[in-house]
């Protein structure tokens, strides 16, 4: 039987689901979601690029029973122009049942993310406190997905972006840095995990970094603290 607590899922449960989700990133998700819960900032979660549910399951187990918004084209793989994943709705639904996550907590949207509006998400689940962006890895997709995520996030919201520094997907890097470089953007990268980068409003970066440094597992893997302008990043 899978262990249905967030901590056990990060250690072992996630290994029961096919996909890509490093232990270090699972621990980062766990620490940040726990911090949001403790301080009353936890709400709905969202993910673009569900695949079989490996990472969204971590978020759903840790978000105190709040709603989840899951975006994936699933069976319409002809629309997946960069072949950045291959979701399967039936497997995803079986995994929800395996980890005892009630299906009525999860809104499944089987459209391309550019067809999804902020009103669609907020109307279905309210604003998002933790948004994982792992959809299309081409420039147009990541540019849109970051705009969408920022438009629906709460004041204390976090955006996790997959593959920002992977050489196989340079357009993810391009799109992320273009977004962060906008004159009106108040987001910063506050941490970089195994293959995910974590963004929040610059006023909350130190708070979330302190939460990560309380995690014994993550402290073992802290490689460096890197300064970009006035902003520090945990790597």
């Amino acid at each position: 039987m899978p262990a249905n607590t967030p901590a056990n899922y990060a250690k072992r449960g996630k290994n029961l689901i096919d996909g890509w989700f490093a232990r270090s990133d699972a621990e980062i998700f766990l620490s940040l979601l726990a911090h949001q819960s403790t301080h009353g900032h936890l709400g709905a979660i969202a993910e673009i690029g569900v695949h079989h549910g490996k990472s969204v399951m971590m978020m759903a187990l840790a978000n105190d029973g709040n709603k989840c918004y899951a975006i994936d084209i699933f069976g319409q793989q002809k629309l997946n122009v960069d072949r950045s994943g291959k979701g399967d709705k039936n497997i995803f639904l079986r995994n929800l049942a395996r980890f005892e996550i009630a299906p009525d907590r999860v809104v499944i949207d089987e459209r391309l993310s550019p067809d999804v509006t902020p009103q669609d998400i907020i109307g279905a689940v309210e604003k998002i406190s933790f948004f994982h962006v792992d959809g299309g890895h081409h420039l147009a997709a990541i540019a849109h997905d970051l705009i969408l995520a920022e438009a629906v996030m709460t004041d204390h919201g976090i955006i996790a972006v997959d593959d920002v520094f992977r050489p196989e997907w340079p357009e993810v890097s391009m799109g992320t840095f273009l977004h962060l470089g906008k004159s009106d953007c108040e987001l910063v990268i506050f941490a970089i995990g195994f293959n995910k980068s974590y963004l929040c409003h610059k006023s909350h970066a130190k708070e979330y970094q302190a939460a990560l440094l309380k995690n014994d597992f993550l402290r073992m893997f802290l490689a460096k603290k890197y300064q970009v302008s006035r902003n520090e990043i945990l790597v």
Side-chain angles (χ1 to χ4, degrees):
M1 290 294 290
N4 290 337
T5 67
N8 284 335
Y9 183 85
K11 293 176 184 176
R12 293 178 289 275
K14 67 182 182 61
N15 298 327
L16 299 172
I17 298 179
D18 184 45
W20 311 270
F21 194 28
R23 169 74 187 279
S24 56
D25 282 308
E27 290 286 343
I28 292 173
F29 275 45
L30 176 65
S31 295
L32 295 174
L33 288 160
H35 179 85
Q36 288 183 328
S37 177
T38 299
H39 291 82
H41 301 313
L42 189 59
I45 58 97
E47 181 171 75
I48 300 173
V50 172
H51 192 63
H52 296 169
K54 194 179 186 84
S55 51
V56 79
M57 220 63 63
M58 171 86 259
M59 299 156 70
L61 287 170
N63 82 329
D64 295 349
N66 289 296
K67 291 275 191 176
C68 313
Y69 201 94
I71 303 169
D72 198 299
I73 55 175
F74 287 123
Q76 305 175 77
Q77 288 299 311
K78 64 179 182 288
L79 303 176
N80 184 7
V81 296
D82 56 22
R83 297 294 183 262
S84 53
K86 188 177 180 181
D88 188 303
K89 184 178 180 180
N90 289 329
I91 295 175
F92 175 54
L93 292 173
R94 288 200 298 270
N95 285 328
L96 287 177
R98 168 185 273 178
F99 288 95
E100 300 176 344
I101 296 168
D104 61 359
R105 280 182 56 205
V106 182
V107 176
I108 297 176
D109 192 328
E110 297 183 66
R111 294 177 291 170
L112 285 169
S113 58
D115 296 329
V116 180
T117 68
Q119 292 73 27
D120 292 331
I121 296 174
I122 295 171
V125 301
E126 299 186 347
K127 284 202 166 186
I128 303 299
S129 63
F130 198 108
F131 201 126
H132 181 211
V133 175
D134 188 12
H137 280 33
H138 54 284
L139 183 58
I142 190 66
H144 170 272
D145 292 350
L146 286 172
I147 292 170
L148 178 64
E150 187 173 7
V152 301
M153 69 187 289
T154 62
D155 291 341
H156 285 77
I158 293 167
I159 303 173
V161 188
D162 188 67
D163 285 341
V164 174
F165 294 100
R166 283 282 294 274
E168 298 94 332
W169 302 108
E171 290 178 86
V172 178
S173 308
M174 293 166 61
T176 301
F177 299 138
L178 285 169
H179 187 86
L180 293 173
K182 294 177 182 177
S183 60
D184 60 346
C185 183
E186 296 291 314
L187 300 178
V188 295
I189 296 177
F190 66 91
I192 300 169
F194 177 76
N195 70 324
K196 300 185 191 298
S197 297
Y198 299 85
L199 286 61
C200 70
H201 190 278
K202 60 185 178 183
S203 62
H204 304 304
K206 291 188 182 301
E207 171 189 348
Y208 286 134
Q209 289 171 340
L212 296 179
L213 292 173
K214 291 178 182 177
N215 183 305
D216 293 337
F217 180 89
L218 291 175
R219 279 203 310 274
M220 291 192 299
F221 291 91
L222 180 63
K224 66 190 298 186
K225 296 179 181 180
Y226 188 78
Q227 198 82 16
V228 178
S229 185
R230 298 181 179 180
N231 302 310
E232 187 174 74
I233 302 173
L234 301 182
V235 181

